[in-house]
Amino acid sequence: MCALACRFLRPGAACTAAAVRRRSKVQWPQRAAGWQQHQQRRVGDGGGGSAGAESLPLPAGRGPVASAVSARDDLLRGVDADNRDAVARIVEQAQRAADSWTVVYSDFHTPPVVADAMMVLKRMADVAAVPWGGYPQAERCRVAVGREEALAGLASDPSQLDGVAAVQCKGNFLFDPATHRDFLGACLGTGIERGKVGDILVTGEQGAQILCSPNLVEHLEGALTQVRTVPVQTQGISLSELQVRAPRVEELSSVEASMRLDAIASAGFRMSRSKMMDLIKAGDVRVNWRSGCKPSSELKAGDVVSVAGKGRLEVTAADVTKKGKYSVKMVRYL
């Protein structure tokens, strides 16, 4: 019997396989899968001790699996619970890309997921990331991950990335208008996943332009033949042909006693401070796409405040006046 096993026995107790087995199961309960793997390793390498003896598993929390889980949790700290799985997948893709010296693209994700992913990827050594949705104002983006050398210069000009393509879906929608949801439903009806489709730019009576993964262009050209009751023709186009409408914005300015979230947001969205506080506490307000903010959270220039159903507000400048107040300039996206 090995000395490691004997250490866990009472003084004077017989160092037998049965005693070690009883003692280990009482003191160090393990998950069933972990226990079986441990025993299989012992059998495969001959046990390292007396024939037939069972080895004692490591205490919970000290094995390599527990260490890996702890490192993963530390890397994902601060990530919204709703985004955790998606961000974890992007992290795995980044690790593979770094190991293989390639550029890998994630699925299309919403701004909150992209924001959390970018925060986590900045903590990883030798990894760079560039979000890109096909045009600068794109809402749903893919995250290109790889080593810094592989993505050098692409952060300033992501249009050079080849991870996003577009198709034009044309038809006569004069008598049966189609919405964003209609075009999305028609795409998913061809058998593709939601994460493979980016923004959809509805072009009125003519149809829509759909951002997607490049490997799906040929599939959509052959499978996307009808939207609602309207027959359509689908053809791949270059990103330079996208008809992106200029966003509707409203420039605002206000003088506030502080840069508190409830004060700035209530001025920007033109509602009472008490109403804004209720929306914040209800979780309907995000700062830089992150939830869990408080009314007393301090804002700064560059922060983006989004309110469910009311659009977005960007703080473009904040200067202190002679009286110690804050002159705040904002842009509201309608």
Side-chain angles (χ1 to χ4, degrees), residues 248-300:
R248 294 173 53 207
V249 299
E250 179 184 7
E251 296 184 356
L252 305 167
S253 61
S254 179
V255 177
E256 302 293 335
S258 71
M259 292 296 293
R260 283 173 55 110
L261 171 60
D262 54 354
I264 302 301
S266 62
F269 287 98
R270 291 196 175 98
M271 64 176 63
S272 69
R273 193 161 175 173
S274 60
K275 176 62 175 177
M276 180 56 65
M277 290 181 67
D278 291 340
L279 291 174
I280 296 173
K281 293 177 181 178
D284 293 331
V285 179
R286 292 174 178 262
V287 177
N288 298 328
W289 310 111
R290 300 181 59 78
S291 60
C293 49
K294 300 179 179 179
S296 59
S297 299
E298 291 286 325
L299 298 182
K300 62 183 183 301

mmCIF file of all heavy atoms in Angstrom, residues 248-300:
data_model
loop_
_atom_site.group_PDB
_atom_site.id
_atom_site.type_symbol
_atom_site.label_atom_id
_atom_site.label_comp_id
_atom_site.label_asym_id
_atom_site.label_seq_id
_atom_site.Cartn_x
_atom_site.Cartn_y
_atom_site.Cartn_z
ATOM 1 N N ARG A 248 -31.136 58.267 -37.478
ATOM 2 C CA ARG A 248 -31.855 59.462 -37.021
ATOM 3 C C ARG A 248 -31.337 59.813 -35.633
ATOM 4 O O ARG A 248 -31.383 58.997 -34.703
ATOM 5 C CB ARG A 248 -33.350 59.188 -36.959
ATOM 6 C CG ARG A 248 -33.995 58.942 -38.322
ATOM 7 C CD ARG A 248 -35.434 58.501 -38.140
ATOM 8 N NE ARG A 248 -36.177 59.440 -37.290
ATOM 9 C CZ ARG A 248 -37.232 59.098 -36.553
ATOM 10 N NH1 ARG A 248 -37.661 57.843 -36.555
ATOM 11 N NH2 ARG A 248 -37.861 60.005 -35.824
ATOM 12 N N VAL A 249 -30.805 61.010 -35.517
ATOM 13 C CA VAL A 249 -30.217 61.415 -34.244
ATOM 14 C C VAL A 249 -30.763 62.776 -33.823
ATOM 15 O O VAL A 249 -31.260 63.553 -34.634
ATOM 16 C CB VAL A 249 -28.675 61.485 -34.330
ATOM 17 C CG1 VAL A 249 -28.105 60.123 -34.679
ATOM 18 C CG2 VAL A 249 -28.231 62.527 -35.348
ATOM 19 N N GLU A 250 -30.647 63.020 -32.535
ATOM 20 C CA GLU A 250 -31.035 64.306 -31.963
ATOM 21 C C GLU A 250 -29.948 64.740 -30.998
ATOM 22 O O GLU A 250 -29.589 63.989 -30.086
ATOM 23 C CB GLU A 250 -32.375 64.177 -31.230
ATOM 24 C CG GLU A 250 -32.841 65.473 -30.583
ATOM 25 C CD GLU A 250 -34.130 65.291 -29.782
ATOM 26 O OE1 GLU A 250 -34.570 64.134 -29.625
ATOM 27 O OE2 GLU A 250 -34.671 66.312 -29.308
ATOM 28 N N GLU A 251 -29.391 65.929 -31.210
ATOM 29 C CA GLU A 251 -28.342 66.442 -30.338
ATOM 30 C C GLU A 251 -28.970 67.194 -29.169
ATOM 31 O O GLU A 251 -29.870 68.020 -29.366
ATOM 32 C CB GLU A 251 -27.384 67.343 -31.114
ATOM 33 C CG GLU A 251 -26.609 66.594 -32.201
ATOM 34 C CD GLU A 251 -25.594 67.478 -32.897
ATOM 35 O OE1 GLU A 251 -25.554 68.695 -32.570
ATOM 36 O OE2 GLU A 251 -24.852 66.975 -33.750
ATOM 37 N N LEU A 252 -28.481 66.911 -27.981
ATOM 38 C CA LEU A 252 -29.041 67.504 -26.759
ATOM 39 C C LEU A 252 -27.924 68.055 -25.899
ATOM 40 O O LEU A 252 -26.770 67.637 -26.004
ATOM 41 C CB LEU A 252 -29.819 66.452 -25.962
ATOM 42 C CG LEU A 252 -30.944 65.703 -26.685
ATOM 43 C CD1 LEU A 252 -31.381 64.508 -25.851
ATOM 44 C CD2 LEU A 252 -32.114 66.630 -26.939
ATOM 45 N N SER A 253 -28.275 68.971 -25.036
ATOM 46 C CA SER A 253 -27.334 69.486 -24.040
ATOM 47 C C SER A 253 -28.092 69.758 -22.750
ATOM 48 O O SER A 253 -29.287 70.082 -22.769
ATOM 49 C CB SER A 253 -26.640 70.758 -24.536
ATOM 50 O OG SER A 253 -27.599 71.785 -24.772
ATOM 51 N N SER A 254 -27.388 69.612 -21.636
ATOM 52 C CA SER A 254 -28.022 69.820 -20.335
ATOM 53 C C SER A 254 -26.952 70.154 -19.310
ATOM 54 O O SER A 254 -25.783 69.779 -19.469
ATOM 55 C CB SER A 254 -28.786 68.556 -19.908
ATOM 56 O OG SER A 254 -29.379 68.725 -18.638
ATOM 57 N N VAL A 255 -27.351 70.881 -18.281
ATOM 58 C CA VAL A 255 -26.452 71.190 -17.166
ATOM 59 C C VAL A 255 -26.959 70.432 -15.949
ATOM 60 O O VAL A 255 -28.108 70.624 -15.521
ATOM 61 C CB VAL A 255 -26.394 72.704 -16.886
ATOM 62 C CG1 VAL A 255 -25.517 72.984 -15.672
ATOM 63 C CG2 VAL A 255 -25.863 73.451 -18.105
ATOM 64 N N GLU A 256 -26.126 69.573 -15.393
ATOM 65 C CA GLU A 256 -26.526 68.719 -14.275
ATOM 66 C C GLU A 256 -25.577 68.896 -13.102
ATOM 67 O O GLU A 256 -24.401 69.252 -13.271
ATOM 68 C CB GLU A 256 -26.541 67.245 -14.706
ATOM 69 C CG GLU A 256 -27.462 66.954 -15.879
ATOM 70 C CD GLU A 256 -28.935 67.129 -15.531
ATOM 71 O OE1 GLU A 256 -29.282 67.012 -14.348
ATOM 72 O OE2 GLU A 256 -29.733 67.392 -16.454
ATOM 73 N N ALA A 257 -26.096 68.631 -11.913
ATOM 74 C CA ALA A 257 -25.278 68.752 -10.707
ATOM 75 C C ALA A 257 -24.267 67.625 -10.588
ATOM 76 O O ALA A 257 -23.253 67.763 -9.892
ATOM 77 C CB ALA A 257 -26.172 68.777 -9.471
ATOM 78 N N SER A 258 -24.515 66.494 -11.247
ATOM 79 C CA SER A 258 -23.601 65.356 -11.186
ATOM 80 C C SER A 258 -23.717 64.571 -12.483
ATOM 81 O O SER A 258 -24.573 64.858 -13.331
ATOM 82 C CB SER A 258 -23.929 64.453 -9.988
ATOM 83 O OG SER A 258 -25.145 63.748 -10.214
ATOM 84 N N MET A 259 -22.869 63.558 -12.615
ATOM 85 C CA MET A 259 -22.892 62.689 -13.790
ATOM 86 C C MET A 259 -23.580 61.367 -13.468
ATOM 87 O O MET A 259 -23.322 60.352 -14.120
ATOM 88 C CB MET A 259 -21.465 62.436 -14.279
ATOM 89 C CG MET A 259 -20.784 63.651 -14.860
ATOM 90 S SD MET A 259 -21.606 64.260 -16.370
ATOM 91 C CE MET A 259 -21.280 62.923 -17.512
ATOM 92 N N ARG A 260 -24.487 61.395 -12.501
ATOM 93 C CA ARG A 260 -25.222 60.185 -12.152
ATOM 94 C C ARG A 260 -26.055 59.695 -13.338
ATOM 95 O O ARG A 260 -26.568 60.488 -14.138
ATOM 96 C CB ARG A 260 -26.148 60.450 -10.960
ATOM 97 C CG ARG A 260 -25.460 60.511 -9.604
ATOM 98 C CD ARG A 260 -26.448 60.941 -8.543
ATOM 99 N NE ARG A 260 -27.634 60.074 -8.513
ATOM 100 C CZ ARG A 260 -27.921 59.218 -7.534
ATOM 101 N NH1 ARG A 260 -27.093 59.105 -6.501
ATOM 102 N NH2 ARG A 260 -29.015 58.493 -7.586
ATOM 103 N N LEU A 261 -26.179 58.381 -13.431
ATOM 104 C CA LEU A 261 -26.928 57.788 -14.526
ATOM 105 C C LEU A 261 -28.360 58.280 -14.573
ATOM 106 O O LEU A 261 -28.875 58.636 -15.647
ATOM 107 C CB LEU A 261 -26.900 56.259 -14.395
ATOM 108 C CG LEU A 261 -27.812 55.469 -15.338
ATOM 109 C CD1 LEU A 261 -27.454 55.738 -16.789
ATOM 110 C CD2 LEU A 261 -27.725 53.977 -15.032
ATOM 111 N N ASP A 262 -29.039 58.304 -13.427
ATOM 112 C CA ASP A 262 -30.451 58.698 -13.437
ATOM 113 C C ASP A 262 -30.621 60.152 -13.870
ATOM 114 O O ASP A 262 -31.596 60.500 -14.554
ATOM 115 C CB ASP A 262 -31.091 58.457 -12.068
ATOM 116 C CG ASP A 262 -30.336 59.122 -10.936
ATOM 117 O OD1 ASP A 262 -29.250 59.672 -11.172
ATOM 118 O OD2 ASP A 262 -30.843 59.086 -9.792
ATOM 119 N N ALA A 263 -29.656 61.023 -13.520
ATOM 120 C CA ALA A 263 -29.759 62.433 -13.890
ATOM 121 C C ALA A 263 -29.530 62.634 -15.392
ATOM 122 O O ALA A 263 -30.309 63.305 -16.081
ATOM 123 C CB ALA A 263 -28.751 63.254 -13.088
ATOM 124 N N ILE A 264 -28.461 62.029 -15.929
ATOM 125 C CA ILE A 264 -28.132 62.208 -17.340
ATOM 126 C C ILE A 264 -29.178 61.549 -18.234
ATOM 127 O O ILE A 264 -29.629 62.119 -19.232
ATOM 128 C CB ILE A 264 -26.737 61.637 -17.638
ATOM 129 C CG1 ILE A 264 -25.679 62.311 -16.752
ATOM 130 C CG2 ILE A 264 -26.396 61.823 -19.115
ATOM 131 C CD1 ILE A 264 -25.587 63.797 -16.902
ATOM 132 N N ALA A 265 -29.577 60.320 -17.881
ATOM 133 C CA ALA A 265 -30.540 59.589 -18.712
ATOM 134 C C ALA A 265 -31.903 60.262 -18.705
ATOM 135 O O ALA A 265 -32.581 60.303 -19.736
ATOM 136 C CB ALA A 265 -30.658 58.147 -18.216
ATOM 137 N N SER A 266 -32.329 60.785 -17.566
ATOM 138 C CA SER A 266 -33.636 61.447 -17.527
ATOM 139 C C SER A 266 -33.633 62.700 -18.395
ATOM 140 O O SER A 266 -34.625 63.017 -19.062
ATOM 141 C CB SER A 266 -33.997 61.806 -16.085
ATOM 142 O OG SER A 266 -33.068 62.727 -15.534
ATOM 143 N N ALA A 267 -32.496 63.416 -18.435
ATOM 144 C CA ALA A 267 -32.399 64.594 -19.297
ATOM 145 C C ALA A 267 -32.353 64.186 -20.770
ATOM 146 O O ALA A 267 -33.004 64.801 -21.617
ATOM 147 C CB ALA A 267 -31.159 65.404 -18.933
ATOM 148 N N GLY A 268 -31.605 63.137 -21.089
ATOM 149 C CA GLY A 268 -31.461 62.720 -22.474
ATOM 150 C C GLY A 268 -32.720 62.113 -23.063
ATOM 151 O O GLY A 268 -33.027 62.328 -24.241
ATOM 152 N N PHE A 269 -33.465 61.368 -22.247
ATOM 153 C CA PHE A 269 -34.690 60.731 -22.748
ATOM 154 C C PHE A 269 -35.945 61.538 -22.409
ATOM 155 O O PHE A 269 -37.063 61.085 -22.654
ATOM 156 C CB PHE A 269 -34.811 59.319 -22.173
ATOM 157 C CG PHE A 269 -33.838 58.349 -22.773
ATOM 158 C CD1 PHE A 269 -32.648 58.044 -22.122
ATOM 159 C CD2 PHE A 269 -34.085 57.761 -24.001
ATOM 160 C CE1 PHE A 269 -31.737 57.154 -22.675
ATOM 161 C CE2 PHE A 269 -33.181 56.874 -24.570
ATOM 162 C CZ PHE A 269 -31.999 56.572 -23.903
ATOM 163 N N ARG A 270 -35.748 62.708 -21.811
ATOM 164 C CA ARG A 270 -36.828 63.637 -21.501
ATOM 165 C C ARG A 270 -37.945 62.956 -20.702
ATOM 166 O O ARG A 270 -39.099 62.903 -21.115
ATOM 167 C CB ARG A 270 -37.406 64.230 -22.792
ATOM 168 C CG ARG A 270 -36.450 65.177 -23.511
ATOM 169 C CD ARG A 270 -37.214 66.012 -24.538
ATOM 170 N NE ARG A 270 -36.350 66.997 -25.150
ATOM 171 C CZ ARG A 270 -35.758 66.853 -26.335
ATOM 172 N NH1 ARG A 270 -35.931 65.725 -27.019
ATOM 173 N NH2 ARG A 270 -34.997 67.800 -26.849
ATOM 174 N N MET A 271 -37.572 62.466 -19.543
ATOM 175 C CA MET A 271 -38.563 61.904 -18.627
ATOM 176 C C MET A 271 -38.158 62.253 -17.210
ATOM 177 O O MET A 271 -37.024 62.684 -16.965
ATOM 178 C CB MET A 271 -38.684 60.387 -18.802
ATOM 179 C CG MET A 271 -37.435 59.597 -18.456
ATOM 180 S SD MET A 271 -37.696 57.817 -18.571
ATOM 181 C CE MET A 271 -38.073 57.635 -20.306
ATOM 182 N N SER A 272 -39.089 62.090 -16.291
ATOM 183 C CA SER A 272 -38.796 62.451 -14.908
ATOM 184 C C SER A 272 -37.703 61.554 -14.340
ATOM 185 O O SER A 272 -37.522 60.408 -14.765
ATOM 186 C CB SER A 272 -40.055 62.342 -14.051
ATOM 187 O OG SER A 272 -40.447 60.985 -13.905
ATOM 188 N N ARG A 273 -37.008 62.091 -13.357
ATOM 189 C CA ARG A 273 -35.923 61.328 -12.745
ATOM 190 C C ARG A 273 -36.453 60.108 -12.009
ATOM 191 O O ARG A 273 -35.823 59.043 -12.008
ATOM 192 C CB ARG A 273 -35.139 62.230 -11.793
ATOM 193 C CG ARG A 273 -33.816 61.657 -11.330
ATOM 194 C CD ARG A 273 -32.931 62.757 -10.804
ATOM 195 N NE ARG A 273 -31.707 62.239 -10.253
ATOM 196 C CZ ARG A 273 -30.702 63.008 -9.845
ATOM 197 N NH1 ARG A 273 -30.800 64.317 -9.967
ATOM 198 N NH2 ARG A 273 -29.603 62.480 -9.341
ATOM 199 N N SER A 274 -37.626 60.252 -11.386
ATOM 200 C CA SER A 274 -38.214 59.112 -10.659
ATOM 201 C C SER A 274 -38.596 57.995 -11.622
ATOM 202 O O SER A 274 -38.403 56.811 -11.323
ATOM 203 C CB SER A 274 -39.437 59.571 -9.864
ATOM 204 O OG SER A 274 -40.433 60.109 -10.722
ATOM 205 N N LYS A 275 -39.123 58.361 -12.793
ATOM 206 C CA LYS A 275 -39.469 57.348 -13.794
ATOM 207 C C LYS A 275 -38.222 56.637 -14.294
ATOM 208 O O LYS A 275 -38.214 55.411 -14.481
ATOM 209 C CB LYS A 275 -40.208 58.020 -14.958
ATOM 210 C CG LYS A 275 -40.544 57.076 -16.113
ATOM 211 C CD LYS A 275 -41.475 55.952 -15.695
ATOM 212 C CE LYS A 275 -41.886 55.105 -16.872
ATOM 213 N NZ LYS A 275 -42.744 53.961 -16.485
ATOM 214 N N MET A 276 -37.142 57.395 -14.521
ATOM 215 C CA MET A 276 -35.900 56.778 -14.964
ATOM 216 C C MET A 276 -35.341 55.847 -13.901
ATOM 217 O O MET A 276 -34.829 54.765 -14.212
ATOM 218 C CB MET A 276 -34.885 57.879 -15.311
ATOM 219 C CG MET A 276 -33.539 57.341 -15.789
ATOM 220 S SD MET A 276 -33.662 56.226 -17.223
ATOM 221 C CE MET A 276 -34.283 57.355 -18.470
ATOM 222 N N MET A 277 -35.437 56.236 -12.646
ATOM 223 C CA MET A 277 -34.962 55.369 -11.568
ATOM 224 C C MET A 277 -35.736 54.061 -11.548
ATOM 225 O O MET A 277 -35.158 52.981 -11.322
ATOM 226 C CB MET A 277 -35.083 56.079 -10.219
ATOM 227 C CG MET A 277 -34.112 57.237 -10.037
ATOM 228 S SD MET A 277 -34.246 58.035 -8.416
ATOM 229 C CE MET A 277 -33.657 56.713 -7.353
ATOM 230 N N ASP A 278 -37.030 54.132 -11.808
ATOM 231 C CA ASP A 278 -37.845 52.905 -11.857
ATOM 232 C C ASP A 278 -37.382 51.998 -13.000
ATOM 233 O O ASP A 278 -37.298 50.771 -12.837
ATOM 234 C CB ASP A 278 -39.323 53.254 -12.029
ATOM 235 C CG ASP A 278 -39.919 53.915 -10.797
ATOM 236 O OD1 ASP A 278 -39.336 53.764 -9.701
ATOM 237 O OD2 ASP A 278 -40.965 54.585 -10.930
ATOM 238 N N LEU A 279 -37.081 52.588 -14.159
ATOM 239 C CA LEU A 279 -36.618 51.792 -15.300
ATOM 240 C C LEU A 279 -35.262 51.151 -15.013
ATOM 241 O O LEU A 279 -35.003 49.999 -15.385
ATOM 242 C CB LEU A 279 -36.523 52.676 -16.545
ATOM 243 C CG LEU A 279 -37.843 53.172 -17.128
ATOM 244 C CD1 LEU A 279 -37.587 54.154 -18.273
ATOM 245 C CD2 LEU A 279 -38.689 52.000 -17.625
ATOM 246 N N ILE A 280 -34.391 51.890 -14.335
ATOM 247 C CA ILE A 280 -33.068 51.352 -13.999
ATOM 248 C C ILE A 280 -33.201 50.175 -13.037
ATOM 249 O O ILE A 280 -32.589 49.113 -13.221
ATOM 250 C CB ILE A 280 -32.179 52.452 -13.386
ATOM 251 C CG1 ILE A 280 -31.911 53.556 -14.418
ATOM 252 C CG2 ILE A 280 -30.865 51.863 -12.892
ATOM 253 C CD1 ILE A 280 -31.197 54.765 -13.858
ATOM 254 N N LYS A 281 -34.022 50.358 -12.008
ATOM 255 C CA LYS A 281 -34.198 49.283 -11.027
ATOM 256 C C LYS A 281 -34.885 48.061 -11.632
ATOM 257 O O LYS A 281 -34.676 46.934 -11.169
ATOM 258 C CB LYS A 281 -35.007 49.813 -9.838
ATOM 259 C CG LYS A 281 -34.271 50.866 -9.020
ATOM 260 C CD LYS A 281 -35.141 51.419 -7.904
ATOM 261 C CE LYS A 281 -34.401 52.483 -7.108
ATOM 262 N NZ LYS A 281 -35.258 53.071 -6.038
ATOM 263 N N ALA A 282 -35.691 48.284 -12.682
ATOM 264 C CA ALA A 282 -36.378 47.164 -13.339
ATOM 265 C C ALA A 282 -35.464 46.435 -14.321
ATOM 266 O O ALA A 282 -35.857 45.411 -14.891
ATOM 267 C CB ALA A 282 -37.624 47.673 -14.070
ATOM 268 N N GLY A 283 -34.239 46.938 -14.529
ATOM 269 C CA GLY A 283 -33.301 46.291 -15.447
ATOM 270 C C GLY A 283 -33.498 46.659 -16.901
ATOM 271 O O GLY A 283 -32.961 45.984 -17.787
ATOM 272 N N ASP A 284 -34.261 47.734 -17.165
ATOM 273 C CA ASP A 284 -34.523 48.141 -18.547
ATOM 274 C C ASP A 284 -33.472 49.101 -19.099
ATOM 275 O O ASP A 284 -33.585 49.540 -20.244
ATOM 276 C CB ASP A 284 -35.902 48.805 -18.643
ATOM 277 C CG ASP A 284 -37.039 47.832 -18.374
ATOM 278 O OD1 ASP A 284 -36.847 46.635 -18.655
ATOM 279 O OD2 ASP A 284 -38.101 48.260 -17.888
ATOM 280 N N VAL A 285 -32.481 49.429 -18.303
ATOM 281 C CA VAL A 285 -31.452 50.384 -18.709
ATOM 282 C C VAL A 285 -30.089 49.695 -18.695
ATOM 283 O O VAL A 285 -29.751 48.994 -17.736
ATOM 284 C CB VAL A 285 -31.434 51.612 -17.781
ATOM 285 C CG1 VAL A 285 -30.341 52.599 -18.208
ATOM 286 C CG2 VAL A 285 -32.792 52.300 -17.764
ATOM 287 N N ARG A 286 -29.335 49.879 -19.763
ATOM 288 C CA ARG A 286 -27.980 49.342 -19.858
ATOM 289 C C ARG A 286 -26.997 50.474 -20.134
ATOM 290 O O ARG A 286 -27.333 51.426 -20.841
ATOM 291 C CB ARG A 286 -27.863 48.303 -20.985
ATOM 292 C CG ARG A 286 -28.644 47.009 -20.731
ATOM 293 C CD ARG A 286 -28.598 46.114 -21.947
ATOM 294 N NE ARG A 286 -29.285 44.851 -21.747
ATOM 295 C CZ ARG A 286 -28.695 43.710 -21.430
ATOM 296 N NH1 ARG A 286 -27.381 43.682 -21.298
ATOM 297 N NH2 ARG A 286 -29.388 42.605 -21.257
ATOM 298 N N VAL A 287 -25.799 50.338 -19.596
ATOM 299 C CA VAL A 287 -24.724 51.284 -19.861
ATOM 300 C C VAL A 287 -23.621 50.536 -20.591
ATOM 301 O O VAL A 287 -23.087 49.545 -20.080
ATOM 302 C CB VAL A 287 -24.179 51.902 -18.564
ATOM 303 C CG1 VAL A 287 -23.000 52.826 -18.873
ATOM 304 C CG2 VAL A 287 -25.273 52.681 -17.845
ATOM 305 N N ASN A 288 -23.304 51.007 -21.801
ATOM 306 C CA ASN A 288 -22.322 50.318 -22.646
ATOM 307 C C ASN A 288 -22.714 48.857 -22.838
ATOM 308 O O ASN A 288 -21.867 47.955 -22.781
ATOM 309 C CB ASN A 288 -20.915 50.438 -22.059
ATOM 310 C CG ASN A 288 -20.454 51.876 -21.976
ATOM 311 O OD1 ASN A 288 -20.818 52.705 -22.814
ATOM 312 N ND2 ASN A 288 -19.679 52.202 -20.959
ATOM 313 N N TRP A 289 -24.004 48.636 -23.009
ATOM 314 C CA TRP A 289 -24.622 47.335 -23.274
ATOM 315 C C TRP A 289 -24.599 46.402 -22.069
ATOM 316 O O TRP A 289 -24.965 45.245 -22.183
ATOM 317 C CB TRP A 289 -23.946 46.641 -24.467
ATOM 318 C CG TRP A 289 -23.821 47.504 -25.674
ATOM 319 C CD1 TRP A 289 -22.668 48.003 -26.198
ATOM 320 C CD2 TRP A 289 -24.884 48.003 -26.493
ATOM 321 N NE1 TRP A 289 -22.943 48.769 -27.296
ATOM 322 C CE2 TRP A 289 -24.301 48.782 -27.506
ATOM 323 C CE3 TRP A 289 -26.276 47.851 -26.465
ATOM 324 C CZ2 TRP A 289 -25.054 49.418 -28.485
ATOM 325 C CZ3 TRP A 289 -27.012 48.485 -27.449
ATOM 326 C CH2 TRP A 289 -26.399 49.264 -28.437
ATOM 327 N N ARG A 290 -24.194 46.892 -20.913
ATOM 328 C CA ARG A 290 -24.100 46.036 -19.740
ATOM 329 C C ARG A 290 -25.262 46.325 -18.797
ATOM 330 O O ARG A 290 -25.590 47.483 -18.530
ATOM 331 C CB ARG A 290 -22.766 46.225 -19.013
ATOM 332 C CG ARG A 290 -21.568 45.892 -19.886
ATOM 333 C CD ARG A 290 -20.272 46.059 -19.118
ATOM 334 N NE ARG A 290 -20.246 45.202 -17.934
ATOM 335 C CZ ARG A 290 -19.991 43.904 -17.973
ATOM 336 N NH1 ARG A 290 -19.738 43.314 -19.126
ATOM 337 N NH2 ARG A 290 -19.973 43.192 -16.876
ATOM 338 N N SER A 291 -25.860 45.268 -18.273
ATOM 339 C CA SER A 291 -26.977 45.403 -17.347
ATOM 340 C C SER A 291 -26.453 45.491 -15.912
ATOM 341 O O SER A 291 -25.244 45.440 -15.669
ATOM 342 C CB SER A 291 -27.921 44.203 -17.492
ATOM 343 O OG SER A 291 -27.238 42.993 -17.204
ATOM 344 N N GLY A 292 -27.374 45.587 -14.967
ATOM 345 C CA GLY A 292 -26.997 45.620 -13.559
ATOM 346 C C GLY A 292 -26.518 46.971 -13.076
ATOM 347 O O GLY A 292 -25.902 47.068 -12.013
ATOM 348 N N CYS A 293 -26.770 48.039 -13.830
ATOM 349 C CA CYS A 293 -26.330 49.362 -13.408
ATOM 350 C C CYS A 293 -27.243 49.910 -12.312
ATOM 351 O O CYS A 293 -28.369 49.459 -12.129
ATOM 352 C CB CYS A 293 -26.289 50.317 -14.592
ATOM 353 S SG CYS A 293 -27.785 50.313 -15.597
ATOM 354 N N LYS A 294 -26.753 50.914 -11.597
ATOM 355 C CA LYS A 294 -27.489 51.536 -10.499
ATOM 356 C C LYS A 294 -27.780 53.005 -10.837
ATOM 357 O O LYS A 294 -27.041 53.611 -11.623
ATOM 358 C CB LYS A 294 -26.683 51.445 -9.206
ATOM 359 C CG LYS A 294 -26.377 50.018 -8.769
ATOM 360 C CD LYS A 294 -25.556 50.012 -7.494
ATOM 361 C CE LYS A 294 -25.252 48.594 -7.036
ATOM 362 N NZ LYS A 294 -24.429 48.582 -5.800
ATOM 363 N N PRO A 295 -28.808 53.571 -10.237
ATOM 364 C CA PRO A 295 -29.102 54.996 -10.496
ATOM 365 C C PRO A 295 -27.928 55.907 -10.176
ATOM 366 O O PRO A 295 -27.742 56.938 -10.818
ATOM 367 C CB PRO A 295 -30.296 55.277 -9.581
ATOM 368 C CG PRO A 295 -30.954 53.945 -9.389
ATOM 369 C CD PRO A 295 -29.840 52.949 -9.372
ATOM 370 N N SER A 296 -27.108 55.508 -9.203
ATOM 371 C CA SER A 296 -25.988 56.357 -8.782
ATOM 372 C C SER A 296 -24.722 56.132 -9.604
ATOM 373 O O SER A 296 -23.700 56.768 -9.352
ATOM 374 C CB SER A 296 -25.673 56.097 -7.306
ATOM 375 O OG SER A 296 -25.343 54.726 -7.095
ATOM 376 N N SER A 297 -24.765 55.232 -10.596
ATOM 377 C CA SER A 297 -23.581 54.982 -11.423
ATOM 378 C C SER A 297 -23.125 56.266 -12.113
ATOM 379 O O SER A 297 -23.944 57.032 -12.623
ATOM 380 C CB SER A 297 -23.892 53.915 -12.474
ATOM 381 O OG SER A 297 -24.260 52.694 -11.867
ATOM 382 N N GLU A 298 -21.819 56.490 -12.133
ATOM 383 C CA GLU A 298 -21.265 57.691 -12.742
ATOM 384 C C GLU A 298 -20.991 57.457 -14.229
ATOM 385 O O GLU A 298 -20.397 56.454 -14.605
ATOM 386 C CB GLU A 298 -19.977 58.091 -12.031
ATOM 387 C CG GLU A 298 -20.179 58.589 -10.608
ATOM 388 C CD GLU A 298 -20.777 59.985 -10.562
ATOM 389 O OE1 GLU A 298 -20.440 60.799 -11.445
ATOM 390 O OE2 GLU A 298 -21.574 60.254 -9.647
ATOM 391 N N LEU A 299 -21.425 58.389 -15.058
ATOM 392 C CA LEU A 299 -21.171 58.308 -16.488
ATOM 393 C C LEU A 299 -19.995 59.205 -16.868
ATOM 394 O O LEU A 299 -19.597 60.083 -16.106
ATOM 395 C CB LEU A 299 -22.412 58.733 -17.277
ATOM 396 C CG LEU A 299 -23.676 57.886 -17.090
ATOM 397 C CD1 LEU A 299 -24.795 58.426 -17.977
ATOM 398 C CD2 LEU A 299 -23.402 56.424 -17.393
ATOM 399 N N LYS A 300 -19.474 58.993 -18.064
ATOM 400 C CA LYS A 300 -18.381 59.814 -18.594
ATOM 401 C C LYS A 300 -18.557 59.937 -20.098
ATOM 402 O O LYS A 300 -19.373 59.225 -20.712
ATOM 403 C CB LYS A 300 -17.028 59.186 -18.264
ATOM 404 C CG LYS A 300 -16.818 57.817 -18.859
ATOM 405 C CD LYS A 300 -15.494 57.227 -18.433
ATOM 406 C CE LYS A 300 -15.244 55.871 -19.083
ATOM 407 N NZ LYS A 300 -16.304 54.891 -18.751
#
